């Protein structure tokens, strides 16, 4: 089970990826997704890379 912090970081990582994938299609939506991600990352005082490093990505969840 993920902690609240891990859930927030996972959501932030997904929002960053969504922003990257949609910037050419809808720049305004991409910017909004990026801002939502940034807000979550600031709350936990981490960068996107630190968030990815902290998450159990590639590991099996119990």
């Amino acid at each position: 089970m993920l902690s609240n912090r891990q859930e927030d970081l996972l959501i932030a990582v997904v929002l960053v990826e969504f922003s990257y994938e949609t910037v050419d299609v809808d720049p305004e939506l991409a910017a909004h997704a990026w801002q939502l991600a940034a807000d979550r990352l600031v709350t936990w005082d981490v960068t996107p890379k630190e968030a990815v490093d902290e998450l159990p990505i590639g590991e099996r969840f119990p």
Side-chain angles (χ1 to χ4, degrees):
M1 178 171 236
L2 296 177
S3 68
N4 287 342
R5 176 185 170 99
Q6 288 175 318
E7 285 180 1
D8 273 356
L9 296 180
L10 182 58
I11 291 167
V13 168
V14 170
L15 286 166
V16 167
E17 178 67 19
F18 178 83
S19 175
Y20 174 78
E21 294 293 332
T22 59
V23 72
D24 292 334
V25 177
D26 189 338
E28 187 175 327
L29 180 60
H32 185 65
W34 181 261
Q35 186 58 57
L36 290 171
D39 291 345
R40 287 179 184 270
L41 295 173
V42 166
T43 297
W44 295 105
D45 192 29
V46 296
T47 67
K49 174 158 180 10
E50 291 169 334
V52 169
D53 290 346
E54 186 173 322
L55 293 170
I57 295 173
E59 297 175 18
R60 290 181 50 93
F61 291 102

